[in-house]
Amino acid sequence: MIKHILITGGAGFIGSHLADELLEQGYTVRVLDTLSEQVHGKEKKRPDYLNPEVELQIGDVRNANDIRIALEGIDAVFHMAALVGVGQSMYEIREYTDVNNVGTATLLQALIDHPVKKLIVASSMSVYGEGLYEDIDGNLKEHCERKLSDLKSDKWEMIEKENYLKPIPTPETKTPKLSSVYALSKYDQERLSLITGKAYNIPTTALRFFNVYGTRQALSNPYTGVLAIFASRLLNDKPPMIFEDGYQKRDFIHVKDVARACRMAMEAEQSNGEVYNVGSGNQYTITSIAQKLAEVMNKDIQPEVNGKYRVGDIRHCFADTTKIKNELGFEPQVNFEDGLYELAEWLKDQIATDKVNQASTELESRGLTV
Ligand code: NAD
Ligand code: UD1
């Protein structure tokens, strides 16, 4: 029976909500986390939001000894520790590969000596690259990629033979197409875990999260998810800065739903060796979420569309959620408007240092915005 659970990276946004979910269901939770400066600030102190019942071990997934200690008495592991910025991954290549790929390899190496009853690895929708499309005749288009020359002349949509392709929900069966160092590292984490799990009889599941939002997302990290970045801009009375034309679409899922999906995947035997999308199945344009967020935060600020392409970004991707629904019975419960109101309430007590201009300069100086 599973009772004692380790969450690597569990002091972060998703991991801390997962800890709450697991504790509520009667599990015990240990967290292994470096409290990285970009997420937790200079003081590197235990985050106030982290449930007091969590046993926090400050340590690094790349350090075999830290992992060995963290695994003592553990029945199941959620591997969440990672660096998460798509844009930043394009210039911090070594660091991203080190933490994400080597960190996972170090964990798996330790699991050979300390096998657990379940391993769940946090993968990402970014492994798909572009989502799935169909052409005007209804043919599926798997391998879409935009041309730099089109992007330079503000042609943002996916075009084939002068016809627009239509984005449709992306299932787990879509062939991965990795378009950033981050995406490559997530795919590596996923495959490495599934391969090792199979070889050593460690039941393993990979969850491909779509765009997760909610309280506790690091507001002063300019490389975090788009809603947290927009929130930080609005808190500082500045307009959210939007890449491309703002009509790119993503699938936003509330962090509490993600935490529940994680627990359900851990508890279900059927998930062993499988990969699941964890999304809401709904699609939102980036401009619409900037406007909705300003509205719930009571800020009369319109976003600024900069018409630039961030290297590594995809145009559209949203989840086909059939598999997780049919096999694990998981369906999201938090509606987007309610989730945004909850986020706005939390934001009222937050202070955010806006580092967006600094991050933009960083990307621009390296030719990573076009
Ligand atoms: P986060 O940055 O809030 O949390 C990551 C945690 O990992 C942080 O607490 C950080 O201190 C810790 N960490 C970083 N390097 C570490 C190391 N070397 N050793 C131990 N701990 C380390 O990010 P998050 O949004 O909670 O993401 C959690 C996981 O989910 C990541 O694997 C991410 O790739 C994946 N994911 C997130 C999203 C999203 O929308 N947020 C979407 C898809 C996948
Ligand atoms: C995000 C996550 C990634 C996760 C993936 C899964 C981050 C940093 N990235 O990637 O970890 O694996 O979801 O779904 O959390 N945008 C703006 N202005 C900004 C920031 C972003 O317009 O200030 C745009 C981007 O160009 C992109 C969209 O918003 O078109 C989403 O960006 P982002 O939140 O970084 O998410 P993903 O790249 O989808």
Side-chain angles (χ1 to χ4, degrees):
M1 215 184 64
I2 294 175
K3 173 85 179 122
H4 304 293
I5 296 169
L6 171 68
I7 311 175
T8 71
F13 165 48
I14 302 175
S16 68
H17 281 280
L18 172 61
D20 289 343
E21 165 79 22
L22 294 170
L23 288 163
E24 209 168 282
Q25 299 291 323
Y27 297 99
T28 73
V29 177
R30 181 181 296 152
V31 157
L32 174 68
D33 200 300
T34 42
L35 301 183
S36 79
E37 189 179 326
Q38 187 158 291
V39 178
H40 299 278
K42 273 204 167 55
E43 308 96 85
K44 292 193 157 213
K45 70 175 206 358
R46 179 182 175 116
D48 295 337
Y49 59 68
L50 192 63
N51 196 306
E53 288 173 46
V54 165
E55 178 195 343
L56 173 64
Q57 180 190 333
I58 299 175
D60 198 308
V61 282
R62 292 167 294 180
N63 182 316
N65 200 40
D66 288 351
I67 292 194
R68 192 182 49 76
I69 296 167
L71 282 174
E72 273 167 28
I74 291 296
D75 306 313
V77 176
F78 284 92
H79 182 35
M80 299 269 170
L83 301 180
V84 304
V86 174
Q88 189 178 33
S89 78
M90 299 306 288
Y91 65 90
E92 295 285 359
I93 298 171
R94 193 181 188 289
E95 190 64 8
Y96 269 70
T97 304
D98 199 28
V99 172
N100 296 4
N101 308 43
V102 178
T104 304
T106 312
L107 170 65
L108 293 167
Q109 193 73 48
L111 284 174
I112 297 177
D113 295 329
H114 180 118
V116 286
K117 297 187 182 79
K118 192 89 176 205
L119 168 66
I120 309 270
V121 56
S123 182
S124 158
M125 124 294 201
S126 64
V127 304
Y128 295 123
E130 281 296 341
L132 195 59
Y133 288 77
E134 69 181 14
D135 67 14
I136 44 169
D137 300 318
N139 299 311
L140 295 186
K141 294 283 158 183
E142 271 223 342
H143 304 290
C144 299
E145 202 170 14
R146 296 178 291 174
K147 290 197 201 86
L148 203 55
S149 54
D150 283 345
L151 295 165
K152 279 185 176 162
S153 45
D154 295 353
K155 287 185 191 149
W156 306 114
E157 291 297 338
M158 207 60 64
I159 300 175
E160 189 189 67
K161 296 180 197 140
E162 290 173 23
N163 288 312
Y164 286 114
L165 297 179
K166 180 179 157 208
I168 57 171
T170 301
E172 291 82 353
T173 47
K174 181 190 178 281
T175 311
K177 179 117 173 85
L178 310 163
S179 65
S180 66
V181 172
Y182 170 76
L184 176 64
S185 76
K186 294 313 289 181
Y187 196 54
D188 182 276
Q189 288 190 316
E190 173 184 316
R191 291 295 115 186
L192 211 53
S193 300
L194 289 165
I195 291 167
T196 312
K198 191 169 177 198
Y200 290 93
N201 273 329
I202 302 170
T204 301
T205 306
L207 299 178
R208 293 178 178 163
F209 301 155
F210 280 64
N211 295 62
V212 189
Y213 76 100
T215 61
R216 306 178 188 168
Q217 198 160 17
L219 293 176
S220 301
N221 175 2
Y223 300 102
T224 188
V226 64
L227 260 173
I229 296 174
F230 288 177
S232 151
R233 294 284 288 174
L234 291 165
L235 276 178
N236 287 285
D237 291 318
K238 293 193 185 131
M241 192 261 299
I242 295 189
F243 292 110
E244 305 186 16
D245 60 356
Y247 291 103
Q248 62 271 42
K249 287 179 182 162
R250 293 291 190 280
D251 175 333
F252 289 88
I253 176 159
H254 193 269
V255 66
K256 285 188 182 142
D257 280 328
V258 172
R260 206 162 40 83
C262 286
R263 177 183 54 79
M264 288 170 79
M266 177 190 80
E267 289 171 345
E269 240 177 69
Q270 201 171 356
S271 71
N272 297 350
E274 297 291 334
V275 173
Y276 296 94
N277 283 342
V278 182
S280 68
N282 298 321
Q283 29 175 314
Y284 302 91
T285 67
I286 296 301
T287 295
S288 76
I289 62 139
Q291 288 166 339
K292 276 191 202 321
L293 186 64
E295 204 181 298
V296 297
M297 288 175 72
N298 266 327
K299 300 272 181 182
D300 188 13
I301 303 175
Q302 280 300 315
E304 234 169 65
V305 178
N306 73 7
K308 287 185 182 160
Y309 164 67
R310 188 176 66 172
V311 173
D313 266 348
I314 52 115
R315 181 66 177 169
H316 305 298
C317 192
F318 40 91
D320 181 330
T321 55
T322 314
K323 184 175 175 189
I324 194 162
K325 186 176 166 197
N326 288 353
E327 293 186 11
L328 305 186
F330 170 77
E331 281 186 85
Q333 289 173 349
V334 183
N335 126 326
F336 191 50
E337 273 67 33
D338 294 346
L340 280 188
Y341 274 108
E342 183 214 48
L343 180 63
E345 274 307 304
W346 175 76
L347 286 167
K348 283 182 186 158
D349 300 325
Q350 303 301 312
I351 300 165
T353 316
D354 171 34
K355 297 182 191 146
V356 163
N357 289 339
Q358 192 187 319
S360 303
T361 313
E362 197 84 61
L363 292 179
E364 186 124 28
S365 68
R366 292 175 161 86
L368 293 174
T369 44
V370 179

